[in-house]
Amino acid sequence: MPTQASVAVVVPTLNAGEPWRPWWQALRRQTLQPDRVLVVDSESGDGTPDMAREHGAQLVTVPRTAFNHGGTRAHAATLVDEQILVFMTQDAMLEDAGSLARLVQAFELPELGAAYGRQLARAQAGPIERHNRLFSYPAQSRLVTPAEAPRWGIRAPFLSDSYTAYRRSALMRAGNFPDRAIVSEDMYVGARMLQDGWSLAYVAEATAVHSHAYSIAGDVRRYFDIGAFYSEQAWLLRDFGGGGGEGVRFVRSEVAYLLRRAPWLIPEALLRSACKLAGFHLGRRQQRLPHGLRLSLSGQKYYWREPGSLPSQRL
């Protein structure tokens, strides 16, 4: 299938600006050129739509009030009909010319529903940021089949829409992305695909540079949103297991990594882990919190407001 499969790259944008030009340069260097690039823009005011048109992309504009991580991507998936849909973010830079081809090549497996690539730390990343990428995106590829999903637990359905390809037919059979998701719309789809009999792949050879240096407050907001997602999708933890063991494994790995490279950062790392845990549990209980507190704790503040409507256009 991959040698003849049609491929669309889909990227939501908001004020990507001039830093987005290298993203396009990296895409144009690819040995596998997509049949279509769809940019779903949330009313950028800095020339992002013009840059998308300049590079030959098809552009859809959605109101900022209508954006959410699930519904916007679900809408985008209905606008295109390519066989492989590669979802990326505006800040995930393809690392080398063969990255996209290697990701799409994974779909030679007829049972594969989705595949995600390896995300590498940016050049200026510090030790904590680097460990996060190394832990979440190791150097070894893997395949998770429905039969093996129990062994992986909550890691089984993991995908990342910063750089993930979906077999469109499998995505639609799984019900597409959820209409509303504060974050983790990719994991939702991964879980539905496994339950529908599809396998998921991690392709470590398909690399993109993508990492962030979050503040401690930023970590709290991110994990509050993850907890809020699980509060609304409780079936995920019920069907695939909790993430407590994964959290302990992360802390042990991080401490061992920092002991070798930056031991003075261990107190900060432990504080961050405690704050993440607190944010996650607050998110799991978000329905009991006052609306103003949810807004304060969340990194996706638009999600808690009355949503707007998405356009009904088809490309």
Side-chain angles (χ1 to χ4, degrees):
M1 175 179 176
T3 55
Q4 300 175 346
S6 54
V7 177
V9 170
V10 182
V11 53
T13 57
L14 173 61
N15 292 332
E18 282 301 312
W20 200 29
R21 288 198 182 275
W23 186 95
W24 284 103
Q25 294 165 4
L27 181 62
R28 293 310 177 207
R29 285 197 302 268
Q30 295 302 300
T31 58
L32 173 65
Q33 286 296 303
D35 299 275
R36 185 197 318 241
V37 180
L38 175 64
V39 173
V40 186
D41 186 70
S42 296
E43 299 179 315
S44 293
D46 66 345
T48 294
D50 292 334
M51 193 183 304
R53 295 189 191 97
E54 173 190 331
H55 286 89
Q58 292 180 309
L59 179 72
V60 172
T61 300
V62 300
R64 289 191 194 184
T65 56
F67 177 87
N68 79 82
H69 284 274
T72 302
R73 287 178 171 87
H75 177 60
T78 66
L79 298 178
V80 296
D81 53 12
E82 278 75 12
Q83 295 165 290
I84 305 295
L85 307 184
V86 182
F87 281 83
M88 298 187 68
T89 52
Q90 67 188 41
D91 58 350
M93 191 90 57
L94 295 171
E95 191 207 21
D96 65 67
S99 181
L100 188 59
R102 288 190 286 270
L103 188 67
V104 172
Q105 187 178 14
F107 290 88
E108 288 179 353
L109 288 173
E111 70 272 19
L112 191 69
Y116 68 104
R118 187 181 187 190
Q119 296 178 35
L120 305 173
R122 58 200 179 122
Q124 63 270 44
I128 289 177
E129 185 178 339
R130 287 188 177 280
H131 171 264
N132 184 283
R133 296 292 92 174
L134 289 169
F135 182 86
S136 300
Y137 303 95
Q140 298 78 32
S141 298
R142 74 171 185 237
L143 180 71
V144 178
T145 67
E148 294 172 332
R151 178 169 71 88
W152 290 99
I154 198 60
R155 285 186 293 159
F158 181 81
L159 298 168
S160 172
D161 275 342
S162 288
Y163 187 30
T164 289
Y166 298 88
R167 189 185 302 269
R168 189 181 188 279
S169 59
L171 176 63
M172 294 306 169
R173 271 182 51 183
N176 204 345
F177 295 100
D179 288 336
R180 273 181 65 76
I182 186 168
V183 290
S184 301
E185 78 292 337
D186 35 28
M187 198 163 188
Y188 175 101
V189 170
R192 290 300 190 199
M193 282 186 173
L194 286 170
Q195 292 178 334
D196 202 30
W198 296 94
S199 296
L200 307 177
Y202 167 56
V203 186
E205 298 78 20
T207 51
V209 177
H210 179 246
S211 69
H212 297 281
Y214 291 105
S215 65
I216 291 177
D219 277 338
V220 171
R221 287 191 289 267
R222 281 198 314 128
Y223 278 82
F224 175 85
D225 291 340
I226 293 170
F229 167 78
Y230 282 118
S231 78
E232 296 177 346
Q233 306 292 342
W235 63 274
L236 263 165
L237 294 179
R238 182 192 68 231
D239 293 357
F240 289 91
E246 187 72 358
V248 171
R249 194 169 75 89
F250 175 86
V251 171
R252 288 175 175 168
S253 172
E254 185 174 46
V255 169
Y257 179 88
L258 293 176
L259 273 172
R260 296 191 301 272
R261 292 169 175 83
W264 59 90
L265 291 177
I266 290 175
E268 177 187 337
L270 294 175
L271 175 61
R272 283 179 178 273
S273 293
C275 290
K276 290 175 186 177
L277 184 63
F280 178 80
H281 284 295
L282 284 167
R284 289 289 309 277
R285 293 158 178 79
Q286 55 87 10
Q287 293 172 342
R288 306 178 195 174
L289 302 179
H291 180 68
L293 184 56
R294 286 201 298 261
L295 277 175
S296 176
L297 288 170
S298 177
Q300 310 290 334
K301 301 187 188 306
Y302 64 84
Y303 185 79
W304 307 102
R305 303 187 177 107
E306 188 66 26
S309 59
L310 290 165
S312 58
Q313 69 208 83
R314 172 145 185 104
L315 300 175

